[in-house]
Amino acid sequence: MNAGKRGSLWVVATPIGNLGDLSPRAVQVLREAGMIAAEDTRHSRPLLQHFGVATPLTALHEHNERAVVESLIERLRGGESVALISDAGTPLVSDPGFRLVRAAREAGIEVSPVPGACAAIAALSVAGLPSDRFVFEGFLPAREASRRVRLRELANEPRTLVIYESSHRIAECCTDLRDAFGAQREARLLRELTKVHETCLGMTLGEIAGRVEADPKQRLGECVLVVAGHGEEVDAKLAEGRRVYALLRAELAPAQAAKLAAAISGAPRKALYGA
Ligand code: SAM
């Protein structure tokens, strides 16, 4: 491992809630680095203290990244190792650090990851939606008009979408998603991952938008939306149609059961008839 390797930039993931998710390797790298560049030093100090990390801290956030990069590259050139962390999860994933990593690469400095928590991957891993191919969309535009334009562009994306949203905009975001993608599109709202109040709300955008609008508790904390790609909802409708058809078939003739199941689920009647 050689955590104290001279002149390396270490990109270190920190927990997204549960402190148990900081790896032993991350602790070692943070302890042995000459300097830790943190998104918010006040935020990270308690975490570092908890793990007995006494390495000096410097702030690197979106407003000073340009200015700070040069001095960090100088330190790295001088043989010091630097660890980069953000407030939570993996640096550079909707977090600062891109300019520093790029500058380090351009300067021929070794850059190594210390992987760990990432809300997007954690959410995808438990959503139960197709995960072989996915698109990380990060945060949608905050302004309503721009958000709706972006969602229209994404409506036909066939891969699963992973979206970050802040709690104060989650209700509008879910409503806009439902309007742009259709109420039947399969989705999950994952909140407070790895924390005490971790929840997963599903199954469709219609259902999620309704619950988030009606229940203020569903708007609390940090959340990730995982949305099935375009085309996947056909399968969801079909599965629901088959389930309803099987129930109705116990009482009704096949044609009548198929007609009702199609009306209830939105699945094509022909695909259900005789299923
Ligand atoms: N770099 C981080 C990562 O690797 O996930 C993401 C940082 S971004 C500024 C913060 C967003 O990540 C939140 O608004 C939320 O969408 C998501 N997030 C972070 N922690 C989370 C958690 N414990 N549960 C659900 N979402 C979380």
Side-chain angles (χ1 to χ4, degrees):
M1 171 173 50
N2 191 8
K5 215 166 24 178
R6 281 173 57 78
S8 287
L9 173 62
W10 297 90
V11 181
V12 183
T14 57
I16 56 169
N18 191 319
L19 293 189
D21 293 336
L22 190 71
S23 72
R25 188 163 87 100
V27 174
Q28 189 181 346
V29 167
L30 291 169
R31 279 187 188 150
E32 293 181 8
M35 167 76 71
I36 297 174
E39 182 181 3
D40 180 344
T41 53
R42 283 166 310 174
H43 179 97
S44 295
R45 206 162 264 124
L47 173 87
L48 297 170
Q49 270 165 4
H50 178 86
F51 285 96
V53 176
T55 308
L57 281 172
T58 188
L60 179 140
H61 44 72
E62 56 176 320
H63 305 295
N64 76 350
E65 191 169 351
R66 267 178 215 278
V68 170
V69 161
E70 215 171 300
S71 67
L72 289 175
I73 295 293
E74 277 314 302
R75 281 177 182 273
L76 288 157
R77 278 208 176 106
E80 198 172 302
S81 76
V82 172
L84 170 69
I85 59 173
S86 59
D87 285 355
T90 302
L92 279 83
V93 178
S94 293
D95 267 342
F98 166 70
R99 286 196 179 90
L100 176 61
V101 170
R102 194 174 171 85
R105 288 257 171 239
E106 281 168 2
I109 289 159
E110 200 172 322
V111 185
S112 283
V114 182
C118 174
I121 299 300
L124 186 71
S125 72
V126 295
L129 291 171
S131 54
D132 45 350
R133 295 188 309 149
F134 65 93
V135 177
F136 175 62
E137 186 55 26
F139 288 95
L140 292 168
R143 282 188 49 242
E144 188 177 289
S146 318
R147 185 167 64 239
R148 289 184 178 170
V149 169
R150 185 79 196 105
L151 288 178
R152 272 201 299 278
E153 288 165 3
L154 290 169
N156 292 325
E157 167 59 57
R159 292 166 291 183
T160 296
L161 285 158
V162 182
I163 297 168
Y164 283 168
E165 195 46 275
S166 69
S167 52
H168 66 274
R169 252 194 314 267
I170 190 65
E172 292 91 315
C173 175
C174 289
T175 312
D176 287 351
L177 270 163
R178 179 199 59 198
D179 295 347
F181 292 8
Q184 289 301 321
R185 180 81 70 100
E186 237 196 300
R188 311 280 182 267
L189 173 62
L190 297 120
R191 288 195 308 110
E192 297 289 86
L193 287 164
T194 77
K195 302 185 201 175
V196 179
H197 297 293
E198 176 180 305
T199 57
C200 174
L201 188 66
M203 304 284 284
T204 63
L205 283 175
E207 195 183 329
I208 293 171
R211 287 285 300 279
V212 170
E213 209 166 27
D215 180 3
K217 283 208 285 282
Q218 302 298 338
R219 289 175 233 148
L220 297 176
E222 297 192 281
C223 47
V224 181
L225 276 155
V226 184
V227 185
H230 176 70
E232 293 293 342
E233 81 271 29
V234 175
D235 293 342
K237 277 185 200 167
L238 200 57
E240 176 63 0
R242 288 194 172 131
R243 190 184 71 80
V244 176
Y245 177 81
L247 290 172
L248 296 175
R249 190 58 194 92
E251 305 289 334
L252 302 172
Q256 208 180 354
K259 192 174 160 190
L260 278 172
I264 291 166
S265 65
R269 186 168 56 87
K270 275 192 188 148
L272 301 176
Y273 187 72

